[in-house]
Amino acid sequence: MLSQLSGAVHVYLRDSSVNRFRMDVGDHVYIPAGTPHRVVPVAEGVMLRYQPLEAGLQGAAWYCDGCDSELRRYEWEHDNETPAVQCYAAACTRFSADEAARTCGKCGTVAAPLDLAAFGWPLAEA
Ligand SMILES: [Zn+2]
């Protein structure tokens, strides 16, 4: 469940009957479990993400800019003691460090390493 407290975002969904929608202040959106989604800020703001106490399998996936095929997916079991951002930062670091993971097996497009400086995310071990 996403809750937009300030600002605005676009939420992009994959494998869903809805592909994209905009969230403004006060909007709440339920994302079905297992639905890959991406949150892209439209205006600076605060969003809360609610998930079950026993959240289970979590993951991050990247898709090819050339042909939209899935490039790589990293998954992990949710741990309530580990900040979620630490898991996502580790997945991003791992993806950036691995050119083979960033290279599309279908069309050959190579995704650029991720620049996370704007997020201020902690440096993570690959
Ligand atoms: Zn491709």
Side-chain angles (χ1 to χ4, degrees):
M1 173 70 79
L2 304 176
S3 178
Q4 193 71 32
L5 301 184
S6 65
V9 300
H10 283 141
V11 180
Y12 296 86
L13 302 168
R14 298 187 69 93
D15 308 326
S16 169
S17 60
V18 176
N19 295 324
R20 176 178 75 103
F21 52 86
R22 179 186 170 109
M23 289 182 70
D24 290 295
V25 175
D27 287 342
H28 302 268
V29 171
Y30 172 73
I31 307 288
T35 303
H37 58 285
R38 177 171 62 150
V39 177
V40 178
V42 173
E44 185 174 325
V46 175
M47 168 187 277
L48 295 180
R49 174 189 298 266
Y50 299 93
Q51 61 184 29
L53 191 58
E54 303 292 331
L57 194 64
Q58 306 285 297
W62 290 267
Y63 297 87
C64 178
D65 286 337
C67 71
D68 209 34
S69 296
E70 184 172 314
L71 291 176
R72 186 58 52 113
R73 174 183 301 233
Y74 301 121
E75 296 177 330
W76 59 90
E77 198 63 34
H78 178 74
D79 168 6
N80 288 329
E81 303 303 316
T82 305
V85 73
Q86 186 176 319
C87 299
Y88 287 106
C92 290
T93 299
R94 186 175 169 194
F95 179 74
S96 289
D98 185 354
E99 186 169 314
R102 292 184 284 108
T103 303
C104 180
K106 285 193 177 170
C107 76
T109 298
V110 180
L114 305 168
D115 179 3
L116 303 175
F119 295 104
W121 282 9
L123 294 175
E125 299 291 321

